[in-house]
Amino acid sequence: MEIWPGRPYPLGATYDGSGVNFAVFSEIADAVELCLIDDDGGEQRIRLPEVDGFVWHAYLPGVLPGQRYGFRVHGPYAPARGHRCDPAKLLLDPYARAIDGTMDGDVSLFSYDMVDEARGISDIRNGFDSLGHTLLSVVVNPFFDWGQDRPPRHEYHNTVIYEAHVKGMTMRNPEVPEAIRGTYAGIAHPATIQHLVDLGITAIELMPVHQFVNDFHLQDKGLANYWGYNTIGFFAPHNGYAAYGTRGEQVLEFKAMVKALHEAGIEVILDVVYNHTAEGNHLGPTLAFRGIDNNAYYRLVTSNLAHYYDTTGTGNSLLMRNPHVLQLIMDSLRYWVTEMHVDGFRFDLAATLARQFHEVDRLSAFFDLCQQDPVVSQVKLIAEPWDIGEGGYQVGNFPPLWTEWNGKFRDTVRDFWRGEAATLGEFASRLTGSSDLYEHSGRKPIASINFVVAHDGFTMADLVAYNEKHNEANGEDNRDGESHNRSWNCGVEGPTPDPDVLALRTRQHKNLMSTLLLSQGVPMIAHGDEIGRTQGGNNNAYCQDNEITWMDWELTETQADLLEFTRRLVELRRENPVFRRRRFFAGSPDHGGESDVHDISWFTTAGTEMADDDWRNGYAKSVMVFLNGRAIPEPDRRGQRIVGDSFLLIFNGHYEPLDFTLPSRQYGSSWRVEIDTAAEAVSRRVRRAGTTVRAEARSLVVLRGLVDRGLTPPRGSAYSPLTRTIPS
């Protein structure tokens, strides 16, 4: 075989139509061997002849896509000094575009001698070869016919996100052919896409699809790493979701999925895990980074370099101040945008990415790189704003380019609907976009990714059916998972035939979904919540790759009604700009944005404007809010003033029905109910200003203004009254 010098960049295996250039970074290596693996598992070792700037490289003419390979790195094995090179371990390419196979937990995957490790001796290698027990990198064909593919580029304020699991969403859908259920092809199937389109989804956020591994301790218990937050390949689509093969076919399948979603106007956002890798703590396997250059890729404990500094709870954290780590992450992000055509990223435990040393730094190198990068800065960047490090919860502290999962929205909305004593000011702030969190950094309501539930907790159906977690199936005696869920079972724990309890649960579910979709910011629906998906009270189903987590598409009458209700809510949001403003309301967040501009007003049940004492009432559970469709400050895409319908939202979190007096004609002369979470059918009767509307116990009523004469503008107001008649 001919061996040419090749090039140090791009890193990874790059096929050009005639051969493949291989390049891998290692500063600590004395030598690096490229290992080509044949179909029978045989190995051909080739010592890389060139090294430039610590990048080892060679070009092999005649090598084709589908070729499996790995690396063996010769260098010091001295954990006490932070070095863990071990040529007995066949290592994944950190830049592998595809990965074949699985790993089996064999002792050969671990470099240390397990007996000696138990005695506290860590500098002795076991010497077992991991070939045949580990994952293999694959050369891919980069060519793909994208046709006329274009990113949908939905603006944030027009975005509705759907958090989904590739496998969980499609495994039980009878309209998806059995052969492609649980795969990228299953997501691309017309039945799946039509469900998203009918629901009004503009972006699907896929839980981790970077190549991940199954934890050995879960395999021993017959479980699996279902969520996938255990990444080992930052460039490779996970091979377990491939329908047509794992020798590069998964790349083509993933691209076809993205193309199909784009054709339907749906963006693709990836949930990415750059904060740690699947190699775990000092007792973990040697799969890739650890054996290539441990000290360069990982944050080590300064006082004991044999151990890893961990702000993720998973055993290790990547070294974000190392330029080669930053290059890896940025190269990966650009690859997924430019080559795989994805539209954005949600960053798991994003606070870790900002920790160059200990504290979370808004001016960290990672944020700087994202800001100036011409590719990455132009896509959606969503942070999960916490980790388990010092000052871990960082909501509101990310730079202006970023949006954030708003956990305070989740907690406040849950508390309100379960009847917790709290100030209405907190609820009002979350409903109006959380300006207290984002306005100080120059951001807008779109910085708030609003959610009530996500993958890591109760489903929405379980949130209203369980007080306690029920995680026995996880094999940890129910010790795992969050114990403080801000949930309420509505009087009975778990399944019940009681019609009153079931009706209350349905109403609470609709309350939560309505609040989510009618709040300012960007709503995110967790997959299956639109059809009442349950996990049987399991709030930590990370290891349940089975019917506990998979969506059940056989809908009851109640579930079908909930689906139609959710569709109607999304449509209401889409058609009315007052629910998706690009700018904050003019007033203070602790008074719900109220000001002399009257773009929003808050009322008591008596129809009078809220006074200071009303805002401070910690036991108040009911409020009415006016959203003025004639006082939207931002222009539309063509620079024209936005004029929309006005709405009244009546929130009754009280345990008894309440009569709300509609405000005076100044705010609107007549109203019609659009949404009532307590009613089987909405009355079309017109309600006049000053009359009363009954809101049942724990319910939400939305009324649209029919003839809204606008407000008499206060002195200096930029807005003038308008008259608009809405057809009945």
Side-chain angles (χ1 to χ4, degrees):
M1 175 178 290
E2 289 187 65
I3 303 172
W4 298 358
R7 304 177 306 277
Y9 193 85
L11 291 163
T14 306
Y15 175 69
D16 61 6
S18 300
V20 179
N21 190 84
F22 294 91
V24 60
F25 158 78
S26 178
E27 187 173 350
I28 194 63
D30 298 322
V32 177
E33 291 177 305
L34 168 68
C35 306
L36 303 181
I37 311 300
D38 62 28
D39 292 343
D40 298 323
E43 176 185 16
Q44 180 183 2
R45 299 189 186 185
I46 300 166
R47 181 159 294 205
L48 296 181
E50 301 287 331
V51 55
D52 294 289
F54 306 115
V55 176
W56 303 75
H57 55 92
Y59 180 91
L60 303 186
V63 173
L64 299 174
Q67 174 65 60
R68 299 182 299 172
Y69 70 99
F71 295 110
R72 296 184 186 272
V73 176
H74 298 260
Y77 182 83
R81 294 189 285 121
H83 306 313
R84 294 181 178 265
C85 296
D86 184 357
K89 311 309 173 201
L90 185 68
L91 305 175
L92 280 172
D93 180 359
Y95 279 72
R97 270 54 171 187
I99 291 173
D100 181 50
T102 59
M103 52 182 215
D104 58 10
D106 187 78
V107 67
S108 63
L109 296 168
F110 303 85
S111 289
Y112 58 89
D113 184 290
M114 294 188 175
V115 175
D116 287 326
E117 182 66 35
R119 299 171 181 165
I121 302 170
S122 59
D123 288 346
I124 301 176
R125 292 191 295 113
N126 64 29
F128 296 123
D129 196 322
S130 65
L131 177 60
H133 303 282
T134 193
L135 302 157
L136 300 175
S137 309
V138 180
V139 176
V140 305
N141 186 343
F143 307 110
F144 180 79
D145 183 9
W146 283 103
Q148 301 299 313
D149 181 70
R150 292 186 178 181
R153 295 194 183 280
H154 296 298
E155 295 184 71
Y156 271 116
H157 68 283
N158 294 326
T159 296
V160 178
I161 299 173
Y162 189 85
E163 187 196 35
H165 190 285
V166 170
K167 191 171 186 179
M169 188 177 179
T170 62
M171 271 303 287
R172 302 178 72 183
N173 190 337
E175 295 186 32
V176 175
E178 188 172 356
I180 62 171
R181 293 176 191 170
T183 69
Y184 306 118
I187 294 290
H189 189 271
T192 307
I193 292 178
Q194 193 61 52
H195 176 77
L196 298 172
V197 171
D198 291 345
L199 192 56
I201 299 301
T202 68
I204 186 170
E205 182 180 300
L206 296 175
M207 291 177 63
V209 296
H210 288 178
Q211 185 70 46
F212 61 87
V213 302
N214 196 1
D215 307 74
F216 302 134
H217 73 279
L218 294 178
Q219 294 182 51
D220 292 341
K221 294 190 290 185
L223 302 172
N225 189 324
Y226 173 69
W227 285 353
Y229 293 95
N230 205 14
T231 301
I232 196 63
F234 296 116
F235 293 79
H238 182 60
N239 59 24
Y241 302 150
Y244 305 120
T246 61
R247 298 279 287 269
E249 294 89 351
Q250 63 265 54
V251 178
L252 302 178
E253 187 179 336
F254 185 93
K255 290 179 177 179
M257 177 196 71
V258 173
K259 185 178 178 181
L261 287 163
H262 281 182
E263 287 175 354
I266 299 172
E267 295 180 305
V268 179
I269 298 172
L270 302 188
D271 191 341
V272 291
V273 189
Y274 292 110
N275 50 72
H276 72 281
T277 80
E279 292 185 300
N281 64 14
H282 62 290
L283 299 179
T286 300
L287 305 176
F289 310 92
R290 174 172 290 159
I292 291 173
D293 197 328
N294 186 65
N295 204 27
Y297 279 111
Y298 292 115
R299 292 189 66 182
L300 306 179
V301 178
T302 306
S303 58
N304 187 351
L305 298 178
H307 290 79
Y308 296 84
Y309 187 85
D310 180 17
T311 59
T312 67
T314 55
N316 63 63
S317 302
L318 286 177
L319 184 61
M320 297 305 298
R321 64 178 182 266
N322 185 291
H324 296 282
V325 173
L326 291 170
Q327 180 186 13
L328 171 78
I329 295 174
M330 297 307 296
D331 283 350
S332 171
L333 291 171
R334 281 190 293 268
Y335 173 79
W336 286 98
V337 175
T338 59
E339 297 296 323
M340 308 295 268
H341 286 208
V342 306
D343 306 281
F345 305 94
R346 178 266 187 187
F347 292 81
D348 178 68
L349 303 184
T352 291
L353 302 176
R355 294 183 186 271
Q356 295 188 194
F357 296 96
H358 296 281
E359 76 286 351
V360 174
D361 184 0
R362 292 181 67 233
L363 301 177
S364 72
F366 174 68
F367 290 150
D368 287 346
L369 289 171
C370 290
Q371 182 71 47
Q372 61 81 41
D373 190 278
V375 174
V376 177
S377 65
Q378 299 305 303
V379 300
K380 289 181 169 66
L381 302 176
I382 304 170
E384 182 188 32
W386 71 280
D387 63 9
I388 64 170
E390 179 182 353
Y393 195 47
Q394 297 291 319
V395 65
N397 291 335
F398 279 69
L401 186 66
W402 292 70
T403 62
E404 304 174 26
W405 272 22
N406 190 348
K408 290 192 175 183
F409 178 95
R410 171 199 62 200
D411 295 346
T412 301
V413 171
R414 289 186 181 192
D415 280 347
F416 179 86
W417 285 114
R418 71 190 181 109
E420 284 293 294
T423 62
L424 285 174
E426 175 79 4
F427 178 73
S429 179
R430 302 302 152 237
L431 190 74
T432 56
S434 297
S435 61
D436 57 324
L437 298 178
Y438 304 114
E439 195 168 26
H440 66 91
S441 57
R443 289 185 283 178
K444 305 286 177 58
I446 57 173
S448 180
I449 306 297
N450 297 332
F451 67 104
V452 177
V453 302
H455 65 272
D456 53 349
F458 281 141
T459 67
M460 196 172 284
D462 289 351
L463 191 68
V464 300
Y466 295 91
N467 285 350
E468 308 296 334
K469 62 184 181 180
H470 297 270
N471 299 350
E472 291 80 6
N474 296 354
E476 299 180 42
D477 298 323
N478 208 34
R479 294 190 301 268
D480 63 305
E482 177 60 61
S483 296
H484 183 48
N485 294 285
R486 294 182 161 91
S487 61
W488 180 46
N489 64 18
C490 298
V492 178
E493 187 75 357
T496 177
D498 189 319
D500 293 334
V501 173
L502 294 175
L504 177 57
R505 288 177 178 177
T506 298
R507 190 157 71 248
Q508 287 284 76
H509 195 141
K510 290 181 176 180
N511 291 337
L512 294 167
M513 188 67 77
S514 300
T515 308
L516 169 66
L517 287 167
L518 300 181
S519 294
Q520 306 299 320
V522 181
M524 184 185 77
I525 302 171
H527 77 286
D529 279 347
E530 74 278 17
I531 59 172
R533 183 176 75 91
T534 178
Q535 294 178 167
N538 192 322
N539 74 348
N540 190 36
Y542 75 101
C543 56
Q544 300 298 331
D545 186 7
N546 49 52
E547 286 82 0
I548 290 175
T549 53
W550 300 342
M551 285 178 65
D552 184 357
W553 292 85
E554 299 293 331
L555 305 186
T556 65
E557 185 177 343
T558 299
Q559 289 177 304
D561 172 70
L562 184 60
L563 175 59
E564 183 56 36
F565 179 83
T566 307
R567 288 171 176 168
R568 193 161 69 250
L569 280 171
V570 176
E571 183 180 17
L572 187 67
R573 178 185 181 88
R574 181 176 63 249
E575 293 183 348
N576 294 281
V578 76
F579 295 120
R580 44 183 178 84
R581 293 165 50 114
R582 291 190 291 111
R583 298 178 186 173
F584 288 113
F585 293 100
S588 169
D590 60 348
H591 280 48
E594 263 188 339
S595 72
D596 290 340
V597 174
H598 291 286
D599 50 356
I600 187 171
S601 298
W602 296 80
F603 301 93
T604 66
T605 57
T608 58
E609 294 194 36
M610 296 268 288
D612 286 344
D613 288 345
D614 297 317
W615 283 111
R616 288 192 295 266
N617 186 353
Y619 296 97
K621 302 295 187 298
S622 305
V623 67
M624 179 166 53
V625 57
F626 168 74
L627 301 177
N628 191 351
R630 314 297 180 265
I632 301 174
E634 63 263 20
D636 64 18
R637 295 180 64 184
R638 295 178 175 85
Q640 301 298 308
R641 180 184 170 195
I642 297 174
V643 178
D645 298 339
S646 296
F647 287 84
L648 282 172
L649 277 63
I650 297 175
F651 296 89
N652 183 15
H654 194 52
Y655 60 83
E656 292 181 333
L658 291 174
D659 290 327
F660 285 76
T661 301
L662 300 181
S664 67
R665 289 177 61 89
Q666 180 187 12
Y667 297 92
S669 61
S670 56
W671 303 86
R672 188 170 61 205
V673 175
E674 292 285 326
I675 299 288
D676 186 344
T677 61
E680 292 185 6
V682 175
S683 170
R684 308 302 293 174
R685 182 166 62 91
V686 174
R687 317 296 177 102
R688 301 295 178 185
T691 61
T692 61
V693 171
R694 169 152 289 202
E696 296 298 330
R698 296 189 172 93
S699 70
L700 188 157
V701 182
V702 179
L703 299 100
R704 185 196 300 263
L706 296 184
V707 180
D708 192 342
R709 302 186 183 280
L711 301 175
T712 303
R715 189 182 301 271
S717 173
Y719 307 112
S720 55
L722 293 174
T723 299
R724 185 179 179 209
T725 302
I726 310 299
S728 58

